[in-house]
Amino acid sequence: MPASERIPAGRMNTAADCGRQPSHKEPPAASPAAEETRTRLALGTLTVLGQIRQASNAVLFGEVEHEGRRVPCVYKPVAGERPLWDFPDGTLAQREVAAYEISRATGWDLIPATVLRDGPYGEGMCQAWVGPVPGTAPSDEDLDQDLDGAFDEEVAEAADGDEDGGGTHGSAGDEAGDGAELLAIVEGDEPGEGWKPVGHVDTGSARPALLVHADDPRLRRLAVVDAVINNGDRKGGHLLTLPTGALYAIDHGVSFHVDDKLRTLLWGWAGEELTAEATATLRGLASALAEGAPLAARLSELITTAELEALRKRVDGLISSGRHPLPSGDWPAIPWPPV
């Protein structure tokens, strides 16, 4: 990164510098995907409280304060992104926002509210946090609050790790789950009741084993969304559940490619007929993507013309086939590592 774009050491606000942790005594917040949450993320004052260290690109934890309410959030500044050779146009942040706009248009609200906005380190993606707030438990080592120069170091080391930054929201616990209850490895050649097979895995045992995911309507909707956005990195760690029963998916920076790059753990419905709900939703999405429609206009600000046209063709193709897609064979079907 050019020196003029690097962020001077010591500029980051940490929770210790601010003299406070995120508030936990406010009235119940709106859901992570609610329009109210999106509005607060877009219009509020963004404060960085720490850095998520287990991510390849710069991923910062913070909060947005708007009209007296605080929303915990993830802030991924464009300045901290590692360029990808196969995504030469646009930014990870723009594609994350575009994925949210698609999720919002389906009405399924599977992706937390995500906006493109300015922040302490320039323009970036700001997304509602899902699950427990990091840094509030003595055993929580994911949040680095001693950050003098850490952001520059993280940018310099961004060549290591996941392409899009990895799962960075709340982990499994009493308040939120990391999707582990939706994925499993079972012995044998049959997934068992309530599970769908993804593929055989090598566990080091002489017995065969299967990677499976739950036969869950929330996951099935997400599989449709992933097919629409051409998600190149649907891992288990990107699935977050709340006690309310809501499922949220994160990390969509490697989506919307014009070539078929669908990589996912949600292949259990591959080749099966789409549900009537999914077909109706896709028809509505096709209308929303028509030339001149508000969603199409919004997406044209986030992805390229070619990517938008490829998006329309994928939606039309799903409607025409009436089935969940099959792996293309031209691209690894399952992301690595799968979690």
Side-chain angles (χ1 to χ4, degrees), residues 28-29 45 52 88 103 113 151 215 264 275:
T45 300
I52 307 298
S103 171
F151 185 83
D215 188 4
T264 177
T275 64

Side-chain angles (χ1 to χ4, degrees), residues 84-325:
L84 301 176
W85 68 268
D86 52 344
F87 285 85
D89 300 311
T91 64
L92 300 177
Q94 289 172 311
R95 290 187 287 273
E96 293 249 34
V97 176
Y100 163 69
E101 294 290 353
I102 291 294
S103 171
R104 187 181 178 203
T106 65
W108 289 335
D109 289 340
L110 292 168
I111 298 176
T114 313
V115 301
L116 195 67
R117 58 161 294 165
D118 194 27
Y121 300 103
E123 184 178 69
M125 179 276 273
C126 184
Q127 183 176 78
W129 183 268
V130 178
V133 173
T136 57
S139 61
D140 191 340
E141 299 177 352
D142 291 340
L143 185 69
D144 188 339
Q145 297 177 345
D146 183 14
L147 294 170
D148 286 348
F151 185 83
D152 281 344
E153 176 186 344
E154 200 75 4
V155 171
E157 296 178 353
D160 298 326
D162 291 348
E163 290 178 327
D164 64 346
T168 55
H169 290 238
S171 59
D174 293 336
E175 297 180 66
D178 63 356
E181 71 275 18
L182 301 173
L183 298 163
I185 294 177
V186 298
E187 287 190 343
D189 293 311
E190 297 297 329
E193 185 177 358
W195 296 91
K196 304 289 286 186
V198 179
H200 284 90
V201 294
D202 182 3
T203 62
S205 169
R207 290 179 56 82
L210 278 177
L211 174 64
V212 299
H213 64 69
D215 188 4
D216 187 300
R218 301 170 301 172
L219 286 184
R220 191 163 190 174
R221 290 169 179 162
L222 183 59
V224 173
V225 171
D226 281 343
V228 167
I229 68 175
N230 197 16
N231 189 355
D233 196 34
R234 172 59 70 220
K235 297 178 178 177
H238 299 166
L239 307 175
L240 304 173
T241 57
L242 292 178
T244 59
L247 168 72
Y248 294 102
I250 60 171
D251 286 343
H252 301 93
V254 287
S255 300
F256 296 99
H257 202 283
V258 295
D259 298 329
D260 183 359
K261 288 183 175 287
L262 184 60
R263 290 194 306 176
T264 177
L265 293 181
L266 304 181
W267 286 115
W269 297 282
E272 292 188 16
E273 289 187 6
L274 295 167
T275 64
E277 177 198 39
T279 300
T281 298
L282 288 167
R283 293 189 185 280
L285 189 57
S287 297
L289 291 170
E291 190 77 31
L295 177 61
R298 173 60 176 146
L299 291 175
S300 69
E301 301 170 349
L302 300 168
I303 60 178
T304 68
T305 300
E307 289 167 340
L308 179 55
E309 185 56 32
L311 170 63
R312 292 184 176 116
K313 289 181 179 178
R314 285 193 298 273
V315 173
D316 290 343
L318 287 167
I319 295 171
S320 177
S321 72
R323 295 182 178 275
H324 288 268

Side-chain angles (χ1 to χ4, degrees), residues 7 10-22 44-52 58-65 71-77 117-126 133-134 143-148 150-151:
I7 297 173
R11 273 186 51 193
M12 181 174 292
N13 296 320
T14 67
D17 293 336
C18 297
R20 58 176 169 80
Q21 292 284 350
T45 300
L46 173 59
T47 301
V48 172
L49 301 175
Q51 182 172 14
I52 307 298
V59 180
L60 310 178
F61 171 74
E63 66 179 17
V64 172
E65 184 169 3
V71 178
C73 65
V74 174
Y75 165 48
K76 298 181 182 179
R117 58 161 294 165
D118 194 27
Y121 300 103
E123 184 178 69
M125 179 276 273
C126 184
V133 173
L143 185 69
D144 188 339
Q145 297 177 345
D146 183 14
L147 294 170
D148 286 348
F151 185 83

